Amino acid sequence: MSGYHFLFIQPLIPDTDEKGQALKFYPQELYKHKGHRKLHKFGSGPFCRFSISADNISGVYMLVSNGDVLYIGQTCNLNQRFNNRSYGSYGFITTAACYQGGQSTNCKINRLVLQHFEMRQPLMLYFLQTTEHKHIERKLLHLHNTPFNSKV
């Protein structure tokens, strides 16, 4: 893509029950009766849980479906970006992430993974290891119209 060689990491597959259906979670329900916080536009769920096999490396990643790049992101730590259960990640949505001021991108990407899995079109994760991740992400976002990246 645009002169960069991204490596295929794996399909993003949620945890499933014995019938192969994605397990769904609603962490926002824990604050349901608090009333002082409002859900952001991606915070209503349902959400899934998934993980990837990754090292603690920096780079740029792409989420792809049927050959179309849906999202481009950058990270200082690929493993934490997708697998962090303590503070939340794409693969594990915390209660706080669902509310205004929380990690709306985590919720948006998690829902995207769940929706594509339920359509039997799992998202594919590609990665380019680099220390120039911020620069390369900006360059790729300028060149490509990705439907799930926020437009500035």
Side-chain angles (χ1 to χ4, degrees):
M1 168 182 256
S2 302
Y4 298 104
H5 182 69
F6 281 76
L7 297 176
F8 175 70
I9 301 297
Q10 69 182 70
L12 300 179
I13 307 293
D15 294 345
T16 59
D17 63 16
E18 63 281 348
K19 295 179 183 176
Q21 301 294 313
L23 298 174
K24 295 180 182 175
F25 301 92
Y26 298 85
Q28 70 279 12
E29 294 292 318
L30 297 176
Y31 280 157
K32 186 165 84 173
H33 300 292
K34 300 279 185 192
H36 65 284
R37 295 186 74 188
K38 293 184 180 182
L39 293 172
H40 56 66
K41 70 180 187 175
F42 301 108
S44 61
F47 300 105
C48 63
R49 291 194 180 142
F50 64 92
S51 62
I52 65 168
S53 296
D55 293 325
N56 298 326
I57 53 177
S58 65
V60 178
Y61 56 91
M62 297 186 308
L63 303 181
V64 178
S65 177
N66 292 323
D68 296 322
V69 178
L70 301 182
Y71 186 82
I72 297 171
Q74 59 87 19
T75 184
C76 293
N77 187 323
L78 182 64
N79 182 45
Q80 283 188 353
R81 188 74 193 104
F82 282 82
N83 297 331
N84 192 325
R85 289 185 171 263
S86 298
Y87 298 104
S89 62
Y90 291 157
F92 186 83
I93 302 301
T94 63
T95 301
C98 301
Y99 288 85
Q100 291 177 356
Q103 284 288 335
S104 63
T105 301
N106 286 358
C107 295
K108 175 172 60 172
I109 298 303
N110 186 286
R111 284 179 41 190
L112 188 64
V113 168
L114 178 59
Q115 289 167 351
H116 277 261
F117 178 78
E118 289 181 333
M119 293 186 307
R120 298 176 194 248
Q121 299 174 351
L123 291 179
M124 302 295 154
L125 174 64
Y126 290 84
F127 187 71
L128 171 70
Q129 184 175 354
T130 178
T131 57
E132 300 289 323
H133 46 91
K134 291 180 182 180
H135 170 73
I136 293 171
E137 179 201 33
R138 279 193 304 273
K139 182 177 177 182
L140 291 173
L141 288 173
H142 180 73
L143 294 172
H144 300 279
N145 184 22
T146 54
F148 291 93
N149 284 95
S150 299
K151 306 301 182 223
V152 182

